[in-house]
Amino acid sequence: MATRPSHKHAGSTFGVSININHTGALRRQLISEITDLERQVHELKVHGKAVDLSLMASYTELISSRRAYLKKLPNSWCW
């Protein structure tokens, strides 16, 4: 059985595929998306006369999943 070469580089990756030197951009993107979604939820609550509960649940799930993903990312020195 042939073994596949490892694509890991010492000190440059975390786990299998996350390069800790480049998580800053992903962190900024996730924070931006969370902020935008929270703003949309706030707008629905403030200006919505008849709030669509399924839409609110979708926004809540999107926010929650992005926060969970953000927490799993390794800290990056490259912001």
Side-chain angles (χ1 to χ4, degrees):
M1 178 185 295
T3 58
R4 296 181 353 185
S6 173
H7 294 289
K8 293 182 182 180
H9 300 290
S12 66
T13 59
F14 177 83
V16 175
S17 64
I18 299 174
N19 185 329
I20 64 170
N21 296 326
H22 300 289
T23 59
L26 181 55
R27 285 181 169 282
R28 287 189 301 273
Q29 179 183 346
L30 288 169
I31 291 168
S32 175
E33 289 177 7
I34 290 167
T35 303
D36 288 344
L37 290 165
E38 287 175 336
R39 180 190 50 77
Q40 291 177 32
V41 167
H42 177 74
E43 290 294 319
L44 283 174
K45 287 180 179 178
V46 171
H47 299 294
K49 292 181 178 91
V51 176
D52 182 352
L53 296 178
S54 64
L55 181 60
M56 291 294 284
S58 295
Y59 280 135
T60 301
E61 180 60 32
L62 289 168
I63 292 167
S64 176
S65 65
R66 281 161 176 76
R67 283 184 178 157
Y69 188 42
L70 185 61
K71 286 180 183 178
K72 290 180 182 179
L73 285 177
N75 289 331
S76 172
W77 55 268
C78 183
W79 278 86

